[in-house]
Amino acid sequence: MNKVVPIMMAMALTAPLSLSAMQIASANLTSDAPKTNSDATVVVGSATKPKFTAHSAKEMSKADDAAADAAADAAADAAADAANSANVLLKKRLHGLQQYQAAFKQTVTDAQGNIVHEAQGTLTMMRPNKLRWETTFPDETLLIADGEAVWNIDTFVEQVTIISQDQAIKDNPIVLLTANDDETWDSFVISKLDDAKASSTLEQYQIVPKSTDGQIKSLTLGFNSDGILSTLDMLDAQDQTSALVFSKQDLDFAIDTAKDNLFSVDVPQSYIIDDQR
């Protein structure tokens, strides 16, 4: 705490004492026993000068520390309330995306803002834990998460790589797009960006992993005025940013999983399978 504050407090406290002391001195001067001016001065002086001891200084220091602690606790409580509110609001937004399909344009930039990659394709999601990522430009690629495993199909080299979905999305905020369980949500810190921090007019939420071991530093989701996911920005450990802009969003498309095979993989016999589960 600024040292000026206790000094000002002491001055404020001594002001009424000075007035009282002057009244006492005036009363003494009009009594039967005459008092000299020097006596009056002594009375005023003794009444207006509190004794500052090591003990009083220590008590003032304790009061300052207590005030600082109280302010820190209040700030922590306010931050916790804001985080809880953001968590609830984002859950509500994503709960409305029980299924989601959209075309996307992806731009990847490095730490200096240089474009290092661009792509176009389609993203399809279904809660819980199903996702299909398909690019059509510059190359055709397909990635499917079926709830248990992630299948990366490379048609150019005719190879399929399979890894555990739990391992693939560990500490990755992208998991919240399709996850419902509280345990997964508790692994991240969520904040709602205010107008000063938001990069657009969208309603934006930033998701940061509590663990620093993952490859993703943060994920920012942007929702339009209808509450539909419109943008996704991901910052990775190499300070590269992958920015996705969605269009043609569809939340009510028909899915016949047995027929469409949106979230399953039929591997051709000629493909090499690299199963890393």
Side-chain angles (χ1 to χ4, degrees), residues 223-243:
F223 298 84
N224 64 18
S225 58
D226 295 322
I228 299 175
L229 182 65
S230 297
T231 61
L232 183 156
D233 296 332
M234 185 180 297
L235 176 66
D236 67 21
Q238 287 73 45
D239 289 329
Q240 288 190 340
T241 300
S242 178

Side-chain angles (χ1 to χ4, degrees), residues 21-129:
M22 291 175 66
Q23 291 171 341
I24 293 172
S26 177
N28 289 336
L29 287 172
T30 57
S31 63
D32 295 337
K35 300 291 183 180
T36 65
N37 289 337
S38 60
D39 290 334
T41 302
V42 171
V43 172
V44 173
S46 63
T48 59
K49 291 185 179 179
K51 293 182 179 179
F52 289 96
T53 64
H55 176 74
S56 62
K58 185 176 182 180
E59 290 302 315
M60 290 180 66
S61 177
K62 286 183 178 180
D64 292 346
D65 291 343
D69 290 342
D73 290 342
D77 291 341
D81 290 341
N84 289 334
S85 176
N87 191 303
V88 171
L89 289 172
L90 181 57
K91 277 186 176 180
K92 183 178 179 180
R93 288 299 187 205
L94 293 178
H95 185 73
L97 303 180
Q98 292 300 313
Q99 60 185 59
Y100 176 91
Q101 189 173 70
F104 68 81
K105 290 185 178 180
Q106 179 188 29
T107 303
V108 181
T109 55
D110 61 20
Q112 289 72 41
N114 302 311
I115 297 176
V116 296
H117 180 71
E118 292 180 293
Q120 297 179 17
T122 303
L123 174 67
T124 306
M125 299 184 298
M126 179 180 288
R127 299 170 71 88
N129 304 325

